[in-house]
Amino acid sequence: MERISRRELLRIVATAAAVPSIGASAGTARVTAARPREPAPVISERVPERFASLPFESQELHGPLAERLRINVEGRLLQVDEKVLLSGFTHRDNAGEFDGAWVGEHAGKFLDAACNAVRYHDHAELRRLVERMAKALIASQETDGYLGTYPAARRWTGWDVWTHKYNLIGLLSYYELSGEPTALQACRRMGDLLERTFGDAPGQRDIVTAGEHMGMAATSVLEPLCKLYRFTGDPRHLELCKYVVRACDRPHGPRLVATLLQSGSVYRTANGKAYEMLSNFNGLVDLYRLTADETLLNTVLRAWDDIVRHQLYRTGTLSAGEHFQPIGRLLSLQSSNVGETCATVTWLQLNWRLLRLTGEARFGQEIERTVYNHLLAAQDPGNGNVAYYTSWAGPREFTNAVLCCVSSGPRGISLIPQLVWGLESGALVINLYVPGRVRFEMGGVPVQVICATAFPCDGRIMLTVKPDRATHFTVRLRVPEWTTRFEVRAGPRTLLGTPGQMLAISQTWSRSSTLDIRMDLPTRVLPGGPTYPDYSLVQRGPQVLALEQAVNPNVPYLHRVSLMDSSESPALKVATVSAGWAGKQVYELDGLVGLLGDTDQLRLEQRTLRLVPFADAMRGRVWITRASRARSDRPAVTAFARASLSVVSLGLEPTADRHAATDIAEFVTDENPSTYCTVNPQDPSLATYLGAPRGKRGDPVWFTVMLKKPATISRVVFRHGAVSVAGGWFDTTDLMPRIEVARTAIPTSSNAALPDDSKVQWETAAFVELYPRTNAVTPPALADGQLFEIRLPKPMVVHGLRVVGKPGGEYASCGELSAYE
């Protein structure tokens, strides 16, 4: 497999490589050989954790989460190409074009995920792969401690510190698994090199200037440096951690602490890049535990509060276009690049840290939300491939390519056993209700706890507590915030839990005691908010549900469906699983469905709708039209078709390092007038970052829509996006904006997601004649969302269409490009 370049990233993201179905193999059996003793840190933290996750080795999970853990190992971790993951290290000084940015992080991410997986279930083949990878990575380290992917002349640029961060994470995980001293030695040498290279002394480098995203990529090395200090006890490593925080908060840096303590807004902090910022928060929590500096924890908690209130999707992810968004903007479509898996996993890790630190139910709640929704949705349950982004509408795009999210997803899945239960002082804490068993000691007495449940299908949980001899301790149960009744029968007692809090049950446990837990799993209809005011979503218990095309064959348009019941708690019935559908949960409720009739208007008919958990959906949508907003207009043939832009841009307002505001690429026709795309040919943001050729002001730009199948069209509607003095219009000096069509099939990626415009013969179908005449510097008198209707000279059968023109100002904008029969 060749090294992945930036230029190929957009194509690769959409590639769903075919992987054979993975079945059971001899390698899945547990290895019975004695495990090495886990190395112990030599430095104690000043702020102890309240909640300690029970070790991987002490657990055995069953049910749907266990199945996802299995496919993560067999379908993803065992299928990696180790030569590709190591190529950047073994060939770092090769002559010729070299791009180390996209290979450096993957070996460390793999080692971290695989070590978790081996600790939970000692898979012999995976253990051997881990050992080979770790030894080869260590062997590639240079004598001065350097373990990056850049040639000597390019050291400490781009993603070099970031790569060292993930090598530290991966090799420290390997050290904890194996006790192999060479792994810790390699990490110590990396730490020593970073300490010599970066700092305030004369001749040392500034770490903020050594990484992307205003330095946040480089400063996120704080997380593993804290862990390294705990294992080495070297005070220089702690001083390096403190330096990283100081450097981060200088005027030219991301200023996480200063900005968040002042504004409390992650969107207005640095450049709003979610993954890198969350990675820094993990490091700040770890350094707080080492130093007891309350400023660090307060910073993270301010950010956490803002994320939960303003940035968090109900499926437990955050970010669109990989960035935090303005308050009220909740983009959810495929082209918005919703829920970068790297950000999803890092958010999960942050909540895990805060749960361990505080024991508070609110952090466990967010863990549950993410695990049962967006984390599982990013994994293909059939082969373990991973989605880079996971939208609320449209097909899932899974891949096994060497990409950051494809390496991050397995880390999140592998972490699941650590999220289920743990120990506090004198107490067992249960955070997630997962079938399985766990073993631990309480006051020197061996205890086994067995959990029998069909959760989240069913709200009954039977816990059997089996100490070797009668012993007294507390069981603390997290009561989900979404439940309306949480009842526990403990012998003759019945206890009621308060949603969103912990319920403590203290008693002397006999050699076989039981807790009969019963919670309801209410169904709620939740509003779409400012961005989607005409829509709602359905949630059952912890799971967001979605309309899935595969189980709704009699629903021609998922975006012409509305709910019958206008109440907030509709009647939801358990349905028989359709033949050929791999999921285990299907639910039914009544709705109105738009069907084709003899006129331009659809016929609204009451039908049974079928919904599945968002985590299982493959080609569906979360949004359902509100009952009062049922639509009978026939949708455009382009509605919710995948869009392709000549340049990709990010949805950011001006920040310290970016003076122009842009918006995010949506589907061009999403039937929502408040969303729009912009294209800037000279955009220095995501397009350049991904390797797209940088254009110049005035270069033609286009907005393309690819149809799933050819359609006859006779009318096109172009709706403008927003216009400002900075841009957003078309320059008509030389030529009017025009509508072009593709009369033949458009080549695409293997899963038909991304059109390849370069291989299409486009022909002009019409000009937007009514467009106001203007030039490159004078904005025309256009209202945001202004509509232009173009009737074609004659009906045409097309496979796709686009609007093309020269941008006025810095960029052009498009709200809708709709084609009708």
Side-chain angles (χ1 to χ4, degrees), residues 738-758:
R738 62 192 183 275
I739 304 298
E740 296 184 343
V741 297
R743 304 291 292 272
T744 58
I746 301 176
T748 65
S749 55
S750 62
N751 67 344
L754 288 178
D756 187 347
D757 296 299
S758 65

Side-chain angles (χ1 to χ4, degrees), residues 112-229:
D112 186 50
C115 288
N116 287 344
V118 170
R119 290 180 62 184
Y120 169 67
H121 190 128
D122 203 343
H123 192 294
E125 184 180 354
L126 184 59
R127 179 181 280 272
R128 289 192 294 270
L129 178 56
V130 166
E131 290 174 349
R132 288 198 307 271
M133 289 274 291
K135 290 177 181 178
L137 184 62
I138 293 168
S140 72
Q141 189 172 33
E142 296 187 4
T143 55
D144 64 353
Y146 182 78
L147 193 49
T149 55
Y150 286 77
R154 294 178 56 194
R155 276 194 186 182
W156 313 125
T157 60
W159 299 92
D160 211 1
V161 178
W162 177 266
T163 293
H164 283 76
K165 161 194 164 179
Y166 275 110
N167 283 336
L168 283 166
I169 288 173
L171 288 176
L172 286 172
S173 292
Y174 176 63
Y175 175 62
E176 290 183 286
L177 170 71
S178 66
E180 174 57 54
T182 59
L184 182 59
Q185 292 166 10
C187 292
R188 180 190 289 271
R189 289 197 296 270
M190 278 189 280
D192 291 347
L193 175 63
L194 292 169
E195 186 272 333
R196 294 195 305 271
T197 303
F198 299 103
D200 298 321
Q204 288 186 302
R205 291 175 176 263
D206 180 353
I207 196 167
V208 168
T209 64
E212 304 288 344
H213 299 294
M214 298 183 69
M216 286 192 296
T219 56
S220 70
V221 75
L222 176 63
E223 175 194 339
L225 286 178
C226 290
K227 190 172 184 179
L228 177 66
Y229 169 64

Side-chain angles (χ1 to χ4, degrees), residues 4 35 43 67 80 156 282 309 314 332 347 355 377 426 434 436 465 504 508 550 560 605 617 639 696 754 762 789 797:
I4 305 302
R35 298 173 185 265
I43 295 293
E67 177 61 16
V80 301
W156 313 125
N282 283 331
R309 288 199 309 269
R314 291 191 182 272
S332 61
W347 171 246
L355 175 65
V434 181
V465 182
T508 298
R560 285 295 183 271
E605 184 175 297
K696 61 182 183 297
L754 288 178
W762 293 97
E789 183 171 347
V797 178

